[in-house]
Each structure stands twice: as C-alpha cells, then as structure tokens.
Amino acid sequence: MSQQSAEPALTGVRNFRDLGGVPTADGRRLRHGVLFRSGHLAHATEEDAGFLKGLGLHTVYDFRNSADQALEGPDVELPGVRYVNLPLSDPADGAEFWKMVRDGELDQLRMVLSDGKGAARMIASYRSIITGRTSEHSRILHELADGSVPALMHCAAGKDRAGLSVAVTLMALGVDKKDIEADYLESNSPHRRYKMYRSEKSRAGMSPEVLELLSPLFDARPTYLAAALTTIDDTWGGVEQYLSEGLGLEAATRERLRDRLLEDG
C-alpha cells in the first residue's frame, strides 16, 4: 500500500500516512502496509471506515486521554481490529488548557502563550512524554515485535503523541535522525494539519494575533523533536541506552521488530 494511493481515500481522518518506504541506516526500509499514523478516527466517514478495514489492521493504538475523547468522540469501530487506548500526557496540559484555547479571550491567550510560552509549553510536554511514558513506549515496541501488525498509531492531531511514538519506533528500527525528522515534519503539510477550532463565545475569534499565539500548539517544529532527542541523550546517554535501559528492549526483541517491519532496500 503506497502513501500516494492511501491518502486520497480518507476525508474524515487527518494526517493519515503509511510509513512504508522510510529508509534505515543499514540500507533497509519499512515495508508498506505494516505501520500507519494519523489523527483521531472519531470523524471517519463510512467510506473512511471501509478503507481502514481494508488495510487488514491488527491493532489501533489511540494515545488520546479521556478529555480528548469527550471532546472529539470515540474512534469509529473497526470490526476484528484490536483497539488499545494508551493515553500519553496531553501536549499542553489537559482539558482546562484546551478549553481556554477554544474559548479564551485575547488577554488570556496572551498571558499563557505570548513571548515564547506556547512553544516552551510544547517542549516541556515532549520532554515529559519521553521521560514519563517509557512503559507505554516499551509496551508498543514489544507488541509490534510480537506480531501486533499492521498497526495504526494516532492521537488527536497525529502530530505530537503519535509523532513521538512513531519516532521512538523508527529509532528502534535504526532510522537516521534526519529521516525521523522528515517524517515528523510532514504533519505541517496543509492537507494534514489539525483543523483549529475557536468557539463563538470568544470575541477574539480567529484574528491574526490569535492565530499567531496558537500556532506553536498546532505546528510540528524541529525544536520540539530536538528537545525529545536531547532528553534521551541527557537522561540515558544516547538512543541505544534509551532503548535497552529505558524501554527494556533486548537485542533479540529488536531483531524481531526489524524482521516484522523492514525489508531489503
């Protein structure tokens, strides 16, 4: 399944893509049709659901928390597909924060997000996910190695929590940092971006200043991913130690993971 043939079929799911074709440092590449990523599936149309069923998915990993699910709704049901809700920390502090993003007036948004505070909030979240969610990322890698593929990973926008989980998986597969970043930044493509909603309750609406204040929350920025990678280096001394010590990924398990997801280049 190619990325080009897969994307046009989805109209109610943002940021969907097949990771197939991503190269590894040893000359192999990800197989097509074994690892997908996207935004949430709550607004999937009937046609979208039919397409997703046709992927032969084994597992859908939903990294949203209960507040996300209350806001957006549950994922569409895909009969025969294993569904795993594995909440990771919210990209910017939870339900009250996102209520302010949707409903808040300009002075509130300035107070919380101006002068680099929005980007700093995102960077702190990325670092927290890396250090605080090792058991969740370990579980994902072990399950993929043991056969939970094809798999789809998603959060709300498919950008932050799913982005980091995909990045960790690519690290374990031996993908270079530049290629991990290239996939991560694909979430900025106009047709992939999460649709920003603002409530009619707010007089500030979607003014240019509001959009500028909110942009750090809706962008995939190199500095965010770099913060996660630096946290790995600072905490464990590098990717290899992070995988082995932080995630408990033994060499044999890692080899099974690569055998399932990779093919010769």
Side-chain angles (χ1 to χ4, degrees), residues 6-259:
E7 288 183 19
L10 295 175
T11 56
V13 179
R14 304 288 288 187
N15 207 5
F16 173 88
R17 56 192 183 272
D18 183 343
L19 277 294
V22 173
T24 60
D26 64 1
R28 288 186 284 180
R29 63 186 179 190
L30 265 75
R31 302 178 192 273
H32 287 283
V34 296
L35 185 61
F36 304 91
R37 58 178 295 175
S38 73
H40 68 76
L41 310 183
H43 300 161
T45 65
E46 185 176 344
E47 291 77 14
D48 294 339
F51 174 83
L52 293 169
K53 291 175 190 174
L55 297 176
L57 294 171
H58 180 286
T59 300
V60 169
Y61 290 101
D62 181 357
F63 303 127
R64 298 179 299 159
N65 57 35
S66 58
D68 297 322
Q69 293 177 344
L71 176 65
E72 296 144 356
D75 277 351
V76 65
E77 290 189 22
L78 301 174
V81 178
R82 174 175 172 257
Y83 174 80
V84 177
N85 181 215
L86 202 62
L88 302 180
S89 59
D90 190 280
D93 281 346
E96 287 303 313
F97 175 83
W98 285 104
K99 185 177 186 304
M100 184 274 298
V101 167
R102 295 193 306 276
D103 302 339
E105 298 299 340
L106 194 53
D107 58 341
Q108 294 175 288
L109 296 174
R110 286 171 176 160
M111 181 173 60
V112 176
L113 299 173
S114 66
D115 300 321
K117 290 193 287 288
R121 192 178 277 266
M122 295 300 292
I123 286 172
S125 173
Y126 273 54
R127 288 175 172 158
S128 177
I129 289 174
I130 288 295
T131 57
R133 300 292 171 166
T134 52
S135 63
E136 288 87 345
H137 285 142
S138 175
R139 174 181 172 180
I140 292 165
L141 295 181
H142 282 85
E143 289 187 355
L144 294 178
D146 290 339
S148 293
V149 292
L152 168 65
M153 299 182 186
H154 80 79
C155 49
K159 171 178 73 77
D160 302 307
R161 290 164 287 185
L164 278 181
S165 298
V166 167
V168 168
T169 303
L170 296 181
M171 289 177 206
L173 293 171
V175 175
D176 281 337
K177 289 181 180 180
K178 64 179 177 59
D179 293 309
I180 293 174
E181 182 182 272
D183 171 70
Y184 169 76
L185 293 177
E186 276 291 311
S187 293
N188 286 327
S189 299
H191 70 290
R192 300 188 190 281
R193 291 180 69 93
Y194 188 73
K195 292 183 178 179
M196 190 185 301
Y197 294 100
R198 288 275 291 154
S199 170
E200 294 180 357
K201 298 177 183 178
S202 172
R203 294 186 302 275
M206 295 281 278
S207 70
E209 184 177 356
V210 167
L211 294 178
E212 183 178 356
L213 287 166
L214 294 180
S215 65
L217 309 179
F218 294 91
D219 291 346
R221 297 187 176 183
T223 51
Y224 300 167
L225 183 62
L229 298 177
T230 298
T231 299
I232 287 173
D233 290 340
D234 291 345
T235 307
W236 288 278
V239 169
E240 293 302 318
Q241 295 92 322
Y242 165 67
L243 293 171
S244 61
E245 299 170 14
L247 305 188
L249 196 66
E250 297 181 353
T253 305
R254 191 171 179 185
E255 194 57 38
R256 291 203 314 276
L257 180 71
R258 290 177 168 181
D259 286 344

